[in-house]
Amino acid sequence: MSFDPVKREPRPGPVFNPYTPEFDANPYPMLEKLRAQPAPPFWEEGRGWLLSRYEDVIAVLRDTQRFTANRAAWEFDAELGVAAQIPELKELNRYGLFALASADHARVRKLISPALTPRAIERLRPGIQAIVDEVLDAAAARGPSVNVVTDIADLIPARVIGAMLKIPQGREALFQRFTEAMIKNFLPGLVSAGELEAMRPDIIEGLGLVRETVEDRRRNPLEEDILTTLIRTEAQGDRLNEQELLSLVAALIVGGFETTVHLISFTVFNLLQRPEVFAQVKAEPELIRNVIEEVLRFDNFGKMGLARYALEDVPLGGVTLKKGQMVLLMLGSALRDGDTFSHPDVFDVRRNTHASIAFGHGVHYCIGASLARLEVQLAVSTLIRRFPRMELLGQPTFGPHPVLRKMDSLEVRLRP
């Protein structure tokens, strides 16, 4: 349902249901209908305003004076989900980047930026490559047919983050369980009360492990180490406090896991269903960077987009977004907008993607974007190098998820 900008009354619009198998497999016909509405900001009862056109989405991303990403503001209930039952996670949420006021958000980003620059992340390349090689060795040993999601993509991010933090030897299994529990409990409603109770010990023990690791690094700093850099970084006498450090580690786990898993899986899928592109990348391995950027644009795995909240009444696209209302920025739709991208429904490996907002924009640009890109680049390029004749064994399957087109399986035959 949208609103008539003159009468200020609801008017019929397309039925928008992102929770169907058809939407997960191909959301773009529905997203095109949203963009075609006379008043493109589309009101969805129970959700808020859906912005589907690139021009509107980028305008809100740039407007930090009238829109906030603070999910604790307005109607968001910070007591929902696991945080209500595990007080330690409530503290992490309170100090997380998306819960900070603008001034604190800017302060924390300034402090952490030296640890996550492209140059700093590039130093991780040898370690990430070693992890990728180990994962692919194990996948190949299991047989020629693998599920790229569970046998490869799922196994890389947690090990990379553990290596970044230099989790003590012998504690890797606990950190893996902690990571899996954090991912499952990130959004309300993804786990039952019984599942939460079963995972609670891993969460509590895992948080203790992270605290121990931080304290050990304070006592024994390491050169060219991300955690040491975060601890030492100082700006105008200000440093990150313990809760901010813990929240950043949690953000790396949650934000870096799902994004990397899905980007690996969607990149492999888009490559293998386009033999001509696959051949191009084998002939020009450096094209893998372009492929990743085009996958982010062409087949974005976000379902509901980025949430923002209006800090005042804002006229936009012929309607008025009221103070306190939630606005969902539909990145998957905006990145297929023909007013910004020429031939938007064509997968073009040589496209200039300078306008891409797949990792956000401005002050809320994803701090882990460089890490995700490097992990995916190494994972997919190594797959291609080792298995240049790999092939799809069918279409992917998707599972339920409130905000992602969650690919559950992607069956591939590995052929050297």
Side-chain angles (χ1 to χ4, degrees):
M1 182 180 296
S2 57
F3 275 79
D4 186 304
V6 177
K7 296 181 179 180
R8 304 300 305 145
E9 295 175 354
R11 64 184 176 195
V15 176
F16 178 72
N17 183 4
Y19 304 117
T20 66
E22 293 77 18
F23 188 91
D24 285 330
N26 183 12
Y28 299 104
M30 173 53 67
L31 296 178
E32 186 175 356
K33 289 181 181 179
L34 289 182
R35 288 196 304 274
Q37 290 293 292
F42 177 80
W43 177 260
E44 183 75 357
E45 199 65 44
R47 291 194 184 101
W49 291 101
L50 309 183
L51 300 192
S52 56
R53 292 185 184 176
Y54 184 94
E55 181 182 359
D56 294 332
V57 169
I58 194 70
V60 172
L61 285 173
R62 288 171 174 163
D63 191 347
T64 58
Q65 299 301 310
R66 297 188 296 175
F67 294 94
T68 180
N70 185 347
R71 66 185 187 180
W74 312 113
E75 68 264 41
F76 185 86
D77 186 350
E79 299 298 316
L80 286 173
V82 66
Q85 301 176 58
I86 301 181
E88 290 85 353
L89 290 190
K90 182 178 179 181
E91 281 296 293
L92 290 186
N93 289 341
R94 193 160 74 90
Y95 285 93
L97 278 175
F98 282 108
L100 295 176
S102 296
D104 284 330
H105 180 273
R107 176 184 68 83
V108 171
R109 281 191 74 104
K110 184 176 181 179
L111 287 168
I112 65 178
S113 59
L116 296 169
T117 61
R119 178 178 294 182
I121 294 300
E122 184 61 28
R123 293 198 293 264
L124 302 172
R125 180 181 288 268
I128 296 174
Q129 183 66 66
I131 290 169
V132 168
D133 289 338
E134 291 173 7
V135 168
L136 294 188
D137 285 344
R142 280 192 290 272
S145 299
V146 300
N147 178 347
V148 170
V149 181
T150 57
D151 295 335
I152 297 173
D154 269 350
L155 305 179
I156 294 173
R159 292 184 61 180
V160 168
I161 295 168
M164 285 171 59
L165 300 176
K166 294 182 174 60
I167 295 298
Q169 191 172 7
R171 311 291 295 280
E172 298 94 343
L174 168 60
F175 186 75
Q176 181 76 28
R177 296 195 305 272
F178 170 61
T179 297
E180 292 170 359
M182 288 287 288
I183 299 303
K184 290 178 181 177
N185 286 292
F186 176 58
L187 291 170
L190 288 184
V191 295
S192 67
E195 290 172 319
L196 169 60
E197 194 59 34
M199 287 185 283
R200 180 172 181 153
D202 290 334
I203 293 175
I204 301 299
E205 196 174 351
L207 285 170
L209 171 60
V210 174
R211 285 194 180 91
E212 289 174 24
T213 304
V214 170
E215 289 309 310
D216 178 72
R217 207 61 44 82
R218 287 190 196 277
R219 295 190 299 268
N220 305 294
L222 301 173
E223 293 302 318
E224 295 190 347
D225 171 67
I226 281 184
L227 194 51
T228 300
T229 302
L230 288 172
I231 292 169
R232 285 177 166 176
T233 297
E234 187 170 350
Q236 297 177 340
D238 185 31
R239 288 190 174 187
L240 296 168
N241 62 41
E242 181 187 5
Q243 284 298 332
E244 289 168 341
L245 271 169
L246 291 173
S247 293
L248 284 170
V249 171
L252 279 173
I253 291 172
V254 174
F257 188 90
E258 292 277 26
T259 298
T260 306
V261 168
H262 282 76
L263 190 47
I264 290 172
S265 306
F266 275 69
T267 300
V268 172
F269 172 62
N270 277 278
L271 264 179
L272 295 188
Q273 70 172 346
R274 294 179 174 82
E276 72 287 356
V277 176
F278 193 25
Q280 281 181 290
V281 175
K282 284 186 282 188
E284 303 175 64
E286 66 276 9
L287 278 178
I288 191 61
R289 292 181 176 87
N290 302 51
V291 170
I292 292 167
E293 297 307 313
E294 182 66 341
V295 169
L296 283 166
R297 185 203 68 82
F298 178 86
D299 200 12
N300 193 279
F301 45 82
K303 180 179 286 187
M304 293 304 298
L306 302 175
R308 295 293 185 268
Y309 300 85
L311 295 172
E312 59 185 73
D313 289 0
V314 182
L316 184 71
V319 299
T320 298
L321 283 54
K322 294 292 187 181
K323 178 180 179 179
Q325 288 181 332
M326 184 168 71
V327 182
L328 287 168
L329 311 180
M330 310 292 287
L331 297 187
S333 176
L335 292 166
R336 285 282 196 109
D337 190 337
D339 289 340
T340 300
F341 301 94
S342 62
H343 307 291
D345 298 324
V346 174
F347 189 93
D348 181 359
V349 72
R350 299 188 188 276
R351 182 188 298 275
N352 182 340
T353 55
H354 70 279
S356 178
I357 49 175
F359 280 108
H361 178 82
V363 297
H364 287 290
Y365 184 79
C366 176
I367 61 172
S370 294
L371 176 61
R373 285 186 169 108
L374 181 58
E375 289 183 68
V376 178
Q377 176 192 330
L378 292 177
V380 179
S381 61
T382 306
L383 258 175
I384 295 170
R385 186 175 67 252
R386 292 183 57 173
F387 308 103
R389 297 189 300 141
M390 63 179 170
E391 58 186 6
L392 281 176
L393 294 178
Q395 293 296 301
T397 64
F398 297 85
H401 196 282
V403 297
L404 296 176
R405 296 165 57 211
K406 188 180 187 309
M407 192 181 288
D408 277 349
S409 71
L410 179 65
E411 297 294 330
V412 169
R413 179 178 289 116
L414 301 179
R415 301 175 64 197

